Every structure is written in structure tokens, then in C-alpha cells.
Amino acid sequence: MDVVNQLQRQFIDYSASLHREGFLDDQFTQLQKLQDDNSPDFVVEVASLFFEDCEKLINNMARALEQQQGVDFKQVDASVHQLKGSSSSIGAMRVKDVCIAFRSFCEAQNREGCLRCLQQVTHEYSLLKNKLQTLFRLQQQILAAGGSIPVVE
Amino acid sequence: MDSCNCIEPQWPPDDLLMKYQYISDFFIALAYFSIPLELIYFVKKSAVFPYRWVLVQFGAFIVLCGATHLINLWTFTMHTRTVAMVMTTAKVFTAVVSCATALMLVHIIPDLLSVKTRELFLKNKAAELDREMGLIRTQEETGRHVRMLTHEIRSTLDRHTILKTTLVELGRTLALEECALWMPTRTGLELQLSYTLRQQNPVGYTVPIHLPVINQVFSSSHAVKISPNCPVARIRPAGKYMPGEVVAVRVPLLHLSNFQINDWPELSTKRYALMVLMLPSDSARQWHVHELELVEVVADQVAVALSHAAILEESMRARDLLMEQNVALDLARREAETAIRARNDFLAVMNHEMRTPMHAIIALSSLLQETELTPEQRLMVETILKSSNLLSTLINDVLDLSRLEDGSLQLDLGTFNLFAVFREVLNLIKPIASVKKLHVSLNLAPDLPEYAIGDEKHLMQTILNVVGNAVKFSKEGSISITAIVAKSELLRDSRTPEFFPVPSDNHFYLRVQVKESGVGISPQDIPKLFTKFAQTQSMATRNSGGSGLGLAICKRFVNLMEGHIWIESDGLGKGCTAIFMVKLGIPERLNEPKLPLMPKVPTNHGPTAFPGLKVLVMDENGVSRMVTKGLLVHLGCDVTMVSSSEECLHVVSHEHKVVFMDVCVPGMDGYEVAIRINEKFTKRHERPIIVALTGNTDKVTKENCMRVGMDGVILKPVSLDKMRSVLTDLLEHRVLFEAI
């Protein structure tokens, strides 16, 4: 029991810190609410899908921006839009904010700015991925120890 | 004889006679020889002489005669035989030729004579032609004058100019001494001298119109010669000279009304003016035919020109009148508008200004009622409250009525629960009725629809007013309220023959009857009930306290709802019945009966709020697709997911009740999909509700969604509660255009 409590407390703290630092926002909480007995791994599934999507999009954007002769800003913009949509669906606030800035650089057709944003996005994304993986591991541990995931409001 | 100077004395100059013969012969011969010479000379000179042969013959004859006479000269003396021979030959030839010539002349002389007659004939002809030429020239000149005159006359549309020009030109063309125009006076009994050529200001000469000479002129369409002594011709001061000939012609004055399409105007109804023309005196000139013709033509032209001028004057006058009227109308309209605006402003101000103090009074009086009061004080406060309530009602009524009259009041249509309206009226009226110990009963017909489309507030106001009146005016007994759907037989009420309601598929007529067994109304008072501010004697004695506006307002509302209201009474003391019919709409049959009536706040928070609701989600973004699905699955829906518009169109069917589609992804046209879905499902109740999910909150997106026929727009990301309430709203109302 103690272990469970401890783990749960750890989980709550970690969740709170993620929210506080702006990695996640309210949307993520909503997603957690959707998890129930019918779909117990809902959040994990969504997160995995998000990671796959992100990597694909980032690769696309990198390739597009590497073109020496004439960058296709429209394509980049499309990818950024997708990324923005995905990140806001999952509640990845920081990623979403970078995407917003990214979009304005795309509209201005500023290659330097875009490259900078791409770096930022990649950075944020990897950060988030790590954090979420930690969170999920904690969850697994709690479940393995026989406890239940506490609901963080 | 040696003394004579004649030819050589070969001859014997014995006899004097012989001498003279000798000389004559000589001269004859000479003449005879010179004649042909002359002939030849002149003939050669003239180019044309048809009788050359005759000339030759004649010449030969003459020559031979001359030769004979010449030879004769030698025969006076002794001559040889040769001379005799020559002489004889000559004589023979001469005889032959002269006989031939004589014969020839018989033929020729008649010809020559006839030439002479022809010449005479031609001369006559030439003289005749000359005369005719003269005539034609005069006619042509006359024609030219006419044309010129006509041109002058018709070149202006001013009456005076026309007439003046006519006289001047006529005077000039015909070299007249005086030319005058007599116009009929207004009375038509006299002719007044209106225009003259020479005199500057013809003053007031009048002649009666029925003089024989004037009648004579008027009855003929030609110019008529009249005596210079008749009154119309005696314009100039009389002088010692012989006045010239005078001609008068009628000038028809045409009026618009004279022209009918089928028959030309009768002569007797025409008015004429008289034109008098005088040739110069002492000139011995006569009126020629062509001059008379000229005058007639001119008179006709003048008539036409005058009628044109008259028509123009008329139309100008009419136009001026119209313009004046227009200006006046415009002014009146602007004044009316100003008045209306002033009235509206006044009403608006009064509305606010009157109500504010009223509210204060009513509110404070009610508050005062709650406090501790002595009985007298309580009575006073109650009176204050009652009076101020009445006043407030009066103010509301007046303002309402004036708005109704303005036409600016419109019905506030909406779907509402009919039964609830009646129940509420009952609830409101029960306390008062029970105080008066009146029994109120409500009967609703079984086929009366529960829901209707109409103006709920005003319908309740009307029912309340009618029922309230019934309660007010009954001292005892019972009041029964009946509401039924009016059927066609009942629709044609004999008392209201002008009211022909026509029920249709989406409308029905509600007939409400309120019967009270009270004092009743006498039949002559019934019409006054619906007029404003009119109170009948019997009503006034009943301490009603009403302003008399209530029923008038009800009538206005009922009329707005395309209905009719009337009161029947069997007389004083026998109670009365108020009946009204209004047109209400029938709401559409939707899935509403299946769903419970959702109150504004959703009370179910359970996970399965929408069991088995088939929903289609279209989103290109995998993550948000999954999230949306998760939301909906959590709410119990049966979710189908598609990731492209083609798939969406392929999969969508009438089983899906709602379609959520993402429209903010560039490149994929969610709007297009919406349009296609609209096309695919033609019946409205088969079509799924289409909702757009978007990250854009701007107006353009919303407008675009509305334009393509979507039923709602939701801003991503969607929370669980939001999704729940959205679905609730959508299924209840089928439309949702906020949830941003």
C-alpha cells in the first residue's frame, strides 16, 4: 500500500509539474478523463500515434527545408498545420506554441526562421516524448502494484 | 436717123413703135434673165426649199422666155434664116416648158396656200400656249406662296405669332390693303376683331355672329366675296376712294374634343373665326381664282396650326399642375414623416420615463407592505399598490396599442407548448376566481396538438385577457374554457361571413371559447367592446376599473395572427361567451418524440448519454481523429472514422445521425463535402446533422460553414462536457451556431 501511495504521489507530482511547466495543458486532462474500462489504454494509444505523426512530419519538414533551390513553403506550412492540430488535440502546449510561430515564418517565407523553428520543434518534441514516457512508466508501475491511477484535476 | 444713141445702125430705125418694142423686149429679156438669178441667189441663201424641181422648171421657162425676147431683138431688122431657126427653136422650147410649168403649178399652188394656213394655225397655238404658261406660272407662284405661308405659320407654336404671321404674309403675298381676323367671343354670340394687319391695336369691335353675310361665309368652305359695306369689312375709316373687293373665309377652330375616331366632327358643332381680306382700293384689281384658292388653303393651315398650339398649351398647363401637385405631395409626405418620427420619439421617451417611476412606486409599495403597518396604513398602502398597478397596466396597454397601430409590432414566432400556455393561464386565474367563488374549468380537445408555432407571449396575453374579463365580470357561477381545433364546417361561422379561414397542411386554427354565466351584455353594446376606450354603461357600473383597451388589443393581436374574435351574448343577465380563432403553425415531426425534453442544463452526466447514436467523424489528422473518437465513444456513440472526403462521401448513409468534419485543414475541402452530403440526401429528416470542427474562430469560417448548409461549428479542442452539451443541443434543435 505504501508503495502504491508513494507511486501515486509521485505520479501526481510529476503530472502537476508537467502542467506547470507548460508541457501539457487541459486537453491532456480531458483525454485522461476519456480513459475508462472500455478503453483502458486510450491515452497511451493516442500518445503513440502522436509520436509517430510528429516524427513523420518533422522529417518531411526537414527534407523540404533542405532544398537548396526553392523551398516549397506551402508544403512546409501544411505539415506545420498538421503538427499544430495533433499537438493541440493531445494537449502538447509547448509544441503547439512553437508551431504557431513556425507558421508565421512559413507565411513570410523566411527559410532561416523556419529552420530555427524546426530545431525548436524537434527539441520540444523530444523533451515531451521523454516526459510522457516517464509518466506512462509511472502509470504502469502503479497498475502493476495494484493501485489505480489517480485523477489529476 | 443718126441722132439716136441705140445699137449699131444695122437696123432700120424707121418707126417709133418699132423703137419702143425694141426697147421693151430688151428690158423684158433683162428681167427674165435676172429673175432666175435672184431665185438661185435666194434659194442658195435659204437652206430649205422643197420645190427645187419646180424652181428648175420655172427657171428654164423664164430663161427661155428671156431668150425668146432677146432673139426677138434681131428680128426687127432683116435677119438671116439662122436667126429665124434659132428663134423658132427657142419659141418651141419655151412653149413646151411653159406648158409643163403651168401644169406643175396646178399641183403646187394649193400646197403653197396650205402652208399659209398652217402657219396661221401654229401662230394661234403658240398664243394659246403662251396663255396657259402664264396661268401655270401664276399657279406655281401661288403654290410657292402657300408653301412659304404654311412654313411661316407652322414654324411657331405660339398662337399670337401664328395669327400675326398669317396676316402679314397674306398681306404681302396678295398685296392686300387690309387683312383682319374676327374671333368668336367666349359666349359664342359675337365676333370680336382680334388681329389686323395695318392697325396696331384693334379695340373691341364686335359684331353679332348671326348676320346673314357671316352665316353665308361660315356655311361654305370656300372664300366668299362679300360687300365692302358689311360690318365686318368696315374696319378702315371711310374715305373718298372706291373700296377694293373684299373676300371672307372661315377658319375652323378645332378643339381636342372635336375629334372622334370613327366620325369626323359635324360641321354644326364647330366654331369658326372669320378672316377678311381687302384688296387695295382704287386699284381696279379683281380677285382671281388662284388667289381665292390660296386664301382657302391658308385658312385651313391656320386652323391646324392653331389646334396644335392649343394642344401644346393644354399639355404645358397639365404638366405645370402636376409639378405643383408633386411638390405639395412631397411636402406633405415629409411632414407626415416628421410627425411620425416625433411621435415615435415621444413614445420611446415616455415609455422609459413613465415606467421608471411606476416601477419605483410599485416596488417600494410592495416592500412597504411587507413591513409592520397599522390597519389604516395597510389599507392605504394597498390602495396605492392597486392604483399604481392599474396605471402601469394602462401605460403598457397604451404603448402596446400604439405600437400595434403603427404596424411595427410583429409576431414573435416560435415553437411552444400549447397545453402549458393554457395551464399557466389557469394557474394565474385560479386565485382570483376562487376568491370570487367562481369555478373555472378547462377542456382541451383530444386532437389539439401539444406543440404549435406562433407568438406564445401574445397568445397567452390574449387568452389571459379574455378569461380575465370573464372572471372580472362574473359575480357568481362558473367559467368554462374550451379549446378545439377548428374544423372546416365550423370555420364558416354565420356570424362572421367575411372571415374565410383556410386550413392547410402546416397550419391549423385554434378555437378558444370562454363561457361565463354572469351578467351578460346587451346586443347593442357588443360592437363597442372592441373599440378603444369605449365603455358601455353596464360595464361602467360593474366597477371594472379597466381602461377598455384590453379587448381592443386582443382584437389587434388576433387579427395579426390571421384570426377573428367575437362575443356572443343572449342578453343581459344571461351570461356571455367570448370566442376567438387564431392561426397557428404545426411544428415538423422530428425525432423529438423519441428524445426526452431536454431542459437547459443537462442533467445526465452518465457515460452513455446517447446510446447507439451513429456518428461519422472525418479528420485527416490521425491524432485529433482519435481524440474525437475517444470523446464520442465515451459518450456512448457508435463512431465511424474516415480520413478523407472521398471516403466520407462513400461511407455516409442515412443511418449516421451526425457527421463531424474538420474544415480547417488546407487543401481538403470540408465545405465541398458538406455540399455533396446535402445533395445526396434530399429529404431533410434523412440528412445527418453536419458539424464543423475547426481551430479557426473567425467570422469567415463561420459564414462559410453556414453558407454550405452546415448545422453547427465547434472549436477544437473539444472537452467532454462541451461535446456532450453540443450533442444534446444538436439533437434537440437540429441547429447550433455557437459553441465556440
Side-chain angles (χ1 to χ4, degrees):
Chain A
M1 272 302 80
D2 216 13
V3 174
V4 172
N5 278 341
Q6 210 183 14
L7 283 172
Q8 281 176 339
R9 224 190 348 267
Q10 243 185 328
F11 177 78
I12 292 172
D13 286 337
Y14 197 63
S15 240
S17 77
L18 284 182
H19 277 92
R20 212 177 26 246
E21 284 162 31
F23 283 103
L24 297 173
D25 64 11
D26 205 34
Q27 179 61 13
F28 191 75
T29 323
Q30 294 285 335
L31 286 186
Q32 285 179 318
K33 277 198 206 160
L34 290 178
Q35 190 161 289
D36 56 12
D37 295 328
N38 292 336
S39 42
D41 292 322
F42 180 64
V43 182
V44 177
E45 280 168 15
V46 173
S48 327
L49 200 57
F50 171 66
F51 294 145
E52 277 176 35
D53 227 15
C54 249
E55 279 176 39
K56 197 168 55 154
L57 286 170
I58 289 177
N59 284 336
N60 280 346
M61 288 192 276
R63 244 181 297 124
L65 284 171
E66 263 167 42
Q67 302 281 348
Q68 286 304 332
Q69 60 278 33
V71 177
D72 188 357
F73 282 105
K74 271 201 159 44
Q75 201 191 358
V76 179
D77 189 59
S79 303
V80 175
H81 186 94
Q82 289 265 27
L83 189 59
K84 177 163 160 264
S86 307
S87 53
S88 57
S89 295
I90 202 176
M93 198 163 75
R94 279 162 92 145
V95 178
K96 184 178 78 177
D97 289 337
V98 178
C99 284
I100 295 175
F102 203 152
R103 278 201 92 183
S104 49
F105 279 121
C106 278
E107 270 175 40
Q109 305 209 342
N110 183 342
R111 190 161 169 266
E112 289 306 315
C114 284
L115 283 170
R116 258 203 317 272
C117 276
L118 184 62
Q119 257 188 337
Q120 246 184 315
V121 160
T122 318
H123 176 69
E124 289 294 335
Y125 157 72
S126 18
L127 269 180
L128 184 66
K129 189 166 173 182
N130 282 333
K131 303 257 180 209
L132 279 179
Q133 278 172 340
T134 315
L135 194 69
F136 291 147
R137 239 199 331 267
L138 269 176
Q139 275 185 337
Q140 296 274 28
Q141 283 174 343
I142 294 176
L143 286 173
S148 60
I149 318 277
V151 175
V152 183
E153 288 299 321
Chain B
M1 297 214 218
D2 297 307
S3 54
C4 68
N5 302 352
C6 47
I7 318 280
E8 283 299 303
Q10 270 179 320
W11 307 312
D14 291 324
D15 207 2
L16 195 63
L17 278 171
M18 291 280 264
K19 216 191 276 190
Y20 278 124
Q21 274 193 351
Y22 191 83
I23 295 173
S24 313
D25 268 333
F26 176 69
F27 274 113
I28 289 172
L30 203 60
Y32 273 14
F33 278 131
S34 63
I35 288 177
L37 284 174
E38 287 170 14
L39 270 175
I40 290 172
Y41 175 70
F42 282 115
V43 164
K44 275 239 161 40
K45 264 252 165 138
S46 81
V48 59
F49 193 79
Y51 301 112
R52 269 187 206 269
W53 177 241
V54 169
L55 211 60
V56 167
Q57 264 183 323
F58 203 64
F61 165 60
I62 291 283
V63 163
L64 283 170
C65 273
T68 314
H69 281 285
L70 192 64
I71 296 173
N72 216 17
L73 283 175
W74 270 271
T75 57
F76 283 110
T77 54
M78 289 306 280
H79 50 273
T80 57
R81 192 177 162 74
T82 323
V83 174
M85 276 297 289
V86 170
M87 185 74 201
T88 317
T89 322
K91 276 216 174 131
V92 168
F93 273 133
T94 312
V96 168
V97 172
S98 50
C99 282
T101 311
L103 281 172
M104 197 60 66
L105 277 177
V106 170
H107 292 290
I108 290 182
I109 288 185
D111 266 351
L112 285 176
L113 280 178
S114 77
V115 162
K116 207 64 189 162
T117 46
R118 237 179 290 159
E119 186 195 321
L120 205 64
F121 173 70
L122 279 170
K123 215 196 290 184
N124 283 342
K125 235 346 188 232
E128 208 176 290
L129 277 171
D130 262 335
R131 269 201 304 277
E132 282 195 9
M133 257 279 280
L135 263 167
I136 288 175
R137 223 183 272 132
T138 17
Q139 269 182 350
E140 199 245 334
E141 197 148 308
T142 312
R144 210 161 26 86
H145 281 300
V146 169
R147 272 197 300 281
M148 188 255 304
L149 263 165
T150 314
H151 175 75
E152 289 294 324
I153 291 171
R154 300 280 284 269
S155 66
T156 165
L157 281 172
D158 175 46
R159 223 178 146 79
H160 293 287
T161 319
I162 290 175
L163 292 169
K164 243 342 205 186
T165 315
T166 312
L167 295 181
V168 162
E169 292 299 324
L170 264 180
R172 207 153 45 100
T173 312
L174 300 173
L176 299 172
E177 172 169 358
E178 179 61 86
C179 192
L181 190 69
W182 298 76
M183 303 279 278
T185 56
R186 214 173 290 276
T187 57
L189 296 174
E190 290 184 325
L191 284 178
Q192 186 180 30
L193 182 61
S194 319
Y195 301 92
T196 53
L197 183 57
R198 309 284 173 205
Q199 287 177 308
Q200 282 312 103
N201 290 324
V203 175
Y205 289 126
T206 53
V207 282
I209 206 170
H210 290 296
L211 289 180
V213 61
I214 297 180
N215 278 338
Q216 183 194 6
V217 176
F218 279 177
S219 58
S220 151
S221 64
H222 297 288
V224 173
K225 289 210 186 79
I226 60 174
S227 146
N229 290 325
C230 72
V232 290
R234 261 187 294 161
I235 314 170
R236 312 263 296 159
K240 295 176 283 268
Y241 36 71
M242 239 340 247
E245 289 202 345
V246 181
V247 145
V249 70
R250 71 176 188 188
V251 179
L253 297 171
L254 304 168
H255 274 277
L256 219 59
S257 55
N258 279 348
F259 285 97
Q260 273 104 50
I261 309 293
N262 288 325
D263 50 302
W264 286 101
E266 295 297 324
L267 293 172
S268 56
T269 59
K270 264 205 227 174
R271 292 183 343 139
Y272 298 107
L274 190 72
M275 190 151 62
V276 175
L277 306 114
M278 287 183 249
L279 286 178
S281 39
D282 281 349
S283 69
R285 246 180 73 187
Q286 297 257 325
W287 281 100
H288 298 290
V289 171
H290 68 269
E291 290 171 342
L292 292 178
E293 280 177 3
L294 177 73
V295 167
E296 285 159 23
V297 167
V298 166
D300 276 335
Q301 290 298 322
V302 164
V304 173
L306 281 178
S307 65
H308 285 177
I311 292 174
L312 182 72
E313 259 178 53
E314 274 296 327
S315 71
M316 299 283 285
R317 213 154 9 103
R319 194 197 58 165
D320 285 336
L321 197 64
L322 265 173
M323 273 200 333
E324 268 176 50
Q325 280 176 342
N326 261 353
V327 167
L329 269 172
D330 204 30
L331 191 65
R333 185 181 56 96
R334 261 181 284 133
E335 281 179 11
E337 276 179 7
T338 325
I340 289 180
R341 248 178 290 134
R343 202 256 329 251
N344 285 344
D345 288 339
F346 170 75
L347 277 180
V349 165
M350 292 307 286
N351 193 358
H352 179 73
E353 298 299 327
M354 288 206 288
R355 286 205 171 130
T356 318
M358 280 313 310
H359 283 158
I361 295 174
I362 293 176
L364 290 174
S365 318
S366 336
L367 279 179
L368 196 57
Q369 253 188 344
E370 308 284 314
T371 63
E372 289 253 344
L373 294 170
T374 66
E376 301 99 52
Q377 283 175 326
R378 190 161 287 277
L379 199 62
M380 286 192 254
V381 169
E382 274 177 7
T383 317
I384 292 175
L385 205 53
K386 242 198 292 199
S387 314
S388 37
N389 272 329
L390 277 171
L391 190 58
S392 171
T393 317
L394 174 64
I395 292 171
N396 285 342
D397 279 354
V398 169
L399 289 167
D400 255 351
L401 192 64
S402 58
R403 251 194 310 156
L404 266 183
E405 280 188 325
D406 211 13
S408 57
L409 195 62
Q410 278 171 338
L411 290 178
D412 194 9
L413 295 175
T415 314
F416 63 94
N417 189 333
L418 200 56
F419 294 0
V421 167
F422 280 107
R423 273 197 289 272
E424 182 138 350
V425 168
L426 209 61
N427 288 339
L428 283 170
I429 217 75
K430 266 218 168 72
I432 312 179
S434 61
V435 160
K436 281 183 136 184
K437 303 226 181 355
L438 292 167
H439 177 249
V440 181
S441 66
L442 171 65
N443 290 324
L444 299 175
D447 62 349
L448 198 64
E450 188 177 342
Y451 292 94
I453 299 181
D455 190 337
E456 183 184 2
K457 174 165 152 278
H458 288 128
L459 181 65
M460 174 136 60
Q461 195 177 356
T462 310
I463 303 177
L464 196 57
N465 205 313
V466 170
V467 173
N469 276 345
V471 168
K472 239 193 292 187
F473 298 134
S474 314
K475 289 245 172 59
E476 57 188 7
S478 67
I479 299 185
S480 82
I481 310 171
T482 327
I484 58 171
V485 174
K487 301 283 190 310
S488 348
E489 318 87 58
L490 277 176
L491 286 178
R492 304 277 170 100
D493 205 296
S494 55
R495 279 177 217 256
T496 60
E498 65 277 1
F499 182 54
F500 288 128
V502 180
S504 61
D505 263 344
N506 33 11
H507 290 104
F508 71 98
Y509 280 88
L510 169 73
R511 187 192 150 105
V512 174
Q513 189 174 300
V514 178
K515 207 177 171 71
E516 54 122 340
S517 56
V519 181
I521 310 175
S522 63
Q524 59 253 42
D525 284 335
I526 291 184
K528 275 200 261 181
L529 285 169
F530 292 105
T531 54
K532 299 185 292 192
F533 307 118
Q535 287 211 5
T536 61
Q537 203 54 17
S538 48
M539 281 167 78
T541 57
R542 287 195 278 182
N543 192 26
S544 55
S547 62
L549 273 181
L551 277 178
I553 295 185
C554 286
K555 186 170 163 87
R556 287 274 151 72
F557 275 127
V558 165
N559 284 338
L560 259 182
M561 291 193 248
E562 294 177 57
H564 195 76
I565 180 170
W566 69 98
I567 294 196
E568 296 170 11
S569 172
D570 289 329
L572 283 165
K574 300 212 183 75
C576 73
T577 314
I579 311 173
F580 71 87
M581 286 206 269
V582 288
K583 185 173 172 186
L584 296 172
I586 305 176
E588 284 183 5
R589 304 261 165 262
L590 289 180
N591 297 328
E592 267 147 356
K594 298 208 205 103
L595 283 175
L597 228 197
M598 291 292 189
K600 286 302 165 200
V601 177
T603 48
N604 317 358
H605 285 291
T608 54
F610 308 99
L613 182 68
K614 268 180 100 70
V615 176
L616 183 65
V617 174
M618 180 187 91
D619 194 336
E620 206 188 40
N621 188 313
V623 175
S624 53
R625 201 167 55 225
M626 193 155 172
V627 171
T628 315
K629 177 182 171 179
L631 274 175
L632 291 166
V633 162
H634 193 78
L635 291 171
C637 304
D638 177 4
V639 181
T640 320
M641 295 212 294
V642 291
S643 58
S644 72
S645 38
E646 292 85 23
E647 240 190 292
C648 176
L649 286 171
H650 195 66
V651 168
V652 75
S653 72
H654 67 270
E655 288 178 344
H656 296 106
K657 289 284 177 277
V658 188
V659 173
F660 289 96
M661 61 173 74
D662 185 310
V663 296
C664 66
V665 177
M668 180 163 85
D669 206 344
Y671 304 123
E672 175 78 20
V673 179
I675 297 176
R676 295 275 197 81
I677 294 184
N678 266 326
E679 283 170 13
K680 193 166 165 181
F681 298 97
T682 48
K683 285 225 194 56
R684 205 164 177 264
H685 61 261
E686 276 183 356
R687 187 173 72 80
I689 306 172
I690 307 179
V691 181
L693 291 168
T694 170
N696 286 335
T697 64
D698 60 2
K699 220 169 146 234
V700 173
T701 317
K702 248 217 274 196
E703 276 173 5
N704 284 339
C705 291
M706 278 206 255
R707 205 170 23 92
V708 297
M710 298 206 182
D711 301 298
V713 175
I714 310 181
L715 177 62
K716 282 204 291 196
V718 195
S719 71
L720 187 63
D721 288 331
K722 187 137 70 114
M723 183 57 91
R724 193 187 285 119
S725 69
V726 157
L727 275 179
T728 313
D729 274 339
L730 273 176
L731 292 170
E732 184 180 349
H733 291 130
R734 263 202 92 90
V735 72
L736 169 82
F737 257 105
E738 0 167 329
I740 298 286

